[in-house]
Amino acid sequence: MTIMFNNNATTSPGGARRSERVRFDDLDAGYPGRPVLHQISAVIPALAMTALVGPNGSGKSTLLGVLAGVIDATSGQLRYAEGSPPAFVPQRGAVGDTLPLTARQTVEMGRWGELGPWRRLPRRDRTVVDSAMERLGVADLSDRQLGELSGGQRQRVLIAQGLAQRSDLLLLDEPTTGLDPEARNRITALLADLVADGTTVVQATHDLEAARSADACLLLADGRLIRQGPPEEVLTATTLSRIWQPV
Ligand code: ADP
């Protein structure tokens, strides 16, 4: 696989220049002995919210893992426009809730990519952690153990960890799954604010409402890209009824 970092821009059909944050061409990826993604060619627009949608097992998490650099594509090209390395917020369920970590320690780990692990953070980095926690409304949970928090609180702590990485490209795996409507709306609104402030956000989601409010959708089924574009073009009743198995 080829990975490139460069400055990329295209002209949209409307004529406006819209930059691309990531572009992938003919990407194949999966796990040992288990090919999952097949020939994915797509674009992640810069400074926008992109939703990866599709039924369970369609390859959303795998694609996010490739974008995050934690899964290697077996072939194809992945091109990043200039910017920082992506920040990745994994699925809440993938993070052990029995880890003996406080909320603050969890968010501090977001600084490890730049500083290395298990270091006392310099003041500048502590300020980054403080502001990420305040932004997510979890500053008052600092000393609580991760495992004691509600699903919505734990999710906000994990997003704060992503924010503490100070990347302009934030990747989230199912950030609203399993949360009550209030917690879901809170996170959706926060992600919209981050986009307005200049972050490119990509979220894998089951939540059709969140997908409908995104700027762009990539619809996957069986590891293939079925459609990409604005939600009203991608999430049509016909397309959804063809591929979606209600859960
Ligand atoms: P989604 O996020 O859309 O639910 P995933 O990317 O998690 O889909 O999974 C796509 C396919 O890859 C599924 O068939 C799943 O069983 C398989 N898969 C996911 N993770 C692994 C893994 N670590 N090892 C082997 N197969 C995996």
Side-chain angles (χ1 to χ4, degrees), residues 31 34 36 54-62:
Y31 306 92
R34 172 94 179 82
V36 173
N56 252 337
S58 57
K60 302 182 295 296
S61 294
T62 306

Side-chain angles (χ1 to χ4, degrees), residues 127-164:
T127 309
V128 171
V129 169
D130 289 341
S131 62
M133 294 190 79
E134 270 155 34
R135 180 136 201 199
L136 270 297
V138 292
D140 56 336
L141 304 175
S142 279
D143 297 329
R144 298 270 301 277
Q145 292 289 313
L146 203 56
E148 297 169 10
L149 304 180
S150 72
Q153 288 170 332
R154 197 167 347 138
Q155 186 65 61
R156 282 187 284 134
V157 169
L158 294 177
I159 298 175
Q161 185 194 78
L163 227 56

Side-chain angles (χ1 to χ4, degrees), residues 59-79:
K60 302 182 295 296
S61 294
T62 306
L63 183 56
L64 215 51
V66 172
L67 279 171
V70 297
I71 295 174
D72 287 333
T74 45
S75 68
Q77 275 192 349
L78 188 57
R79 279 181 269 193

Side-chain angles (χ1 to χ4, degrees), residues 44-126:
I44 305 293
L47 308 179
M49 162 78 74
T50 297
L52 306 182
V53 281
N56 252 337
S58 57
K60 302 182 295 296
S61 294
T62 306
L63 183 56
L64 215 51
V66 172
L67 279 171
V70 297
I71 295 174
D72 287 333
T74 45
S75 68
Q77 275 192 349
L78 188 57
R79 279 181 269 193
Y80 293 90
E82 234 162 55
S84 24
F88 180 41
V89 180
Q91 261 185 54
R92 199 167 74 248
V95 178
D97 55 9
T98 51
L99 287 175
L101 285 176
T102 64
R104 186 176 175 91
Q105 286 167 331
T106 306
V107 179
E108 285 182 350
M109 287 163 76
R111 301 302 306 144
W112 287 8
E114 281 181 42
L115 297 175
W118 304 120
R119 282 193 42 194
R120 178 167 162 74
L121 298 188
R123 169 135 43 125
R124 193 191 56 233
D125 298 85
R126 294 203 300 275

